[in-house]
Amino acid sequence: IGLVPRPAELRIGEGLFPLTARTRIVATSAEAASAAALLAHWLADELRLALPVERTVEENGANTIVLRSGAGPSGGGEAAYSLHISPQRVQIQAATQNGLVYGCQSLRQLVMPDADHGWALPAIEIGDRPRLSWRGLMLDCSRTFLPTAYLKRMIELLSYHKLNVLHLHLTDDQGWRIQIHRY
């Protein structure tokens, strides 16, 4: 299982959860709805799979991805989450929206091609929490101009790998490297 970073707890099960056009994403709260919308956007963008997002407290039904906030793993802080994937259902639980987004990123990393359905997720149970509160990257753009598109792509990759701090080194003793069209 190629998850970055490696989860704190991981148990591999048997079978696959098929991602098809009939798969539904169910959010059980407002925080979960926000994370569910992000997940639906990522899956539509990367897999060309437009999945509907439903906001309901009822989460019955096969072939559903359920996001639930308010009850996450104990002792993990605000970024802890649990992810349970079975052949019938996916469930992501976290105490906060941060944890739900990290759970969605793990789900996104687990997507794999499947001959029968196109895309699938392996049956797995993950309980994860960050080992460090500050996980980040520094970009030194004090000597080299970096285009906005590059910075946006870098932020997307930081999110994909569950990093939470971006340090931009903008100036050195020689001056600023920010493009200002007026000058």
Side-chain angles (χ1 to χ4, degrees), residues 16-26 39 43 49-54 59-67 84-91 107 114 116-121:
L16 297 171
F17 176 85
L19 280 170
T20 66
R22 287 188 237 147
T23 303
R24 298 178 308 132
I25 300 174
V26 176
L39 178 63
L43 293 176
L49 195 59
L51 301 181
V53 177
E54 301 173 10
E59 52 195 64
N60 294 333
N63 207 6
T64 57
I65 300 172
V66 179
L67 281 76
H84 300 281
I85 301 174
S86 71
Q88 295 81 27
R89 180 179 194 187
V90 174
Q91 184 168 323
L107 184 140
D114 180 43
D116 296 332
H117 303 86
W119 302 103
L121 297 163

Side-chain angles (χ1 to χ4, degrees), residues 145-146 148 170 175-183:
F145 176 74
L146 296 176
T148 307
L170 293 175
W176 289 79
R177 299 296 187 260
I178 296 178
Q179 184 178 20
I180 301 172
H181 294 289
R182 186 172 177 186
Y183 300 104

Side-chain angles (χ1 to χ4, degrees), residues 154-173:
M154 192 57 61
I155 291 169
E156 176 68 26
L157 289 172
L158 287 171
S159 172
Y160 183 77
H161 293 98
K162 303 175 203 131
L163 300 174
N164 64 356
V165 175
L166 172 62
H167 176 107
L168 288 176
H169 186 86
L170 293 175
T171 184
D172 255 340
D173 57 344

Side-chain angles (χ1 to χ4, degrees), residues 2-109:
L3 287 172
V4 176
R6 187 175 45 141
E9 301 168 18
L10 177 97
R11 284 181 295 289
I12 299 173
E14 291 186 26
L16 297 171
F17 176 85
L19 280 170
T20 66
R22 287 188 237 147
T23 303
R24 298 178 308 132
I25 300 174
V26 176
T28 61
S29 68
E31 284 181 336
S34 177
L38 267 174
L39 178 63
H41 171 75
W42 291 328
L43 293 176
D45 191 40
E46 294 171 6
L47 308 180
R48 306 288 184 246
L49 195 59
L51 301 181
V53 177
E54 301 173 10
R55 172 107 193 276
T56 178
V57 292
E58 184 181 317
E59 52 195 64
N60 294 333
N63 207 6
T64 57
I65 300 172
V66 179
L67 281 76
R68 181 183 301 149
S69 67
S74 61
E78 69 174 41
Y81 68 92
S82 64
L83 171 62
H84 300 281
I85 301 174
S86 71
Q88 295 81 27
R89 180 179 194 187
V90 174
Q91 184 168 323
I92 302 171
Q93 282 188 260
T96 65
Q97 186 176 4
N98 254 358
L100 287 172
V101 171
Y102 287 156
C104 290
Q105 291 292 19
S106 289
L107 184 140
R108 190 175 162 199
Q109 290 180 21

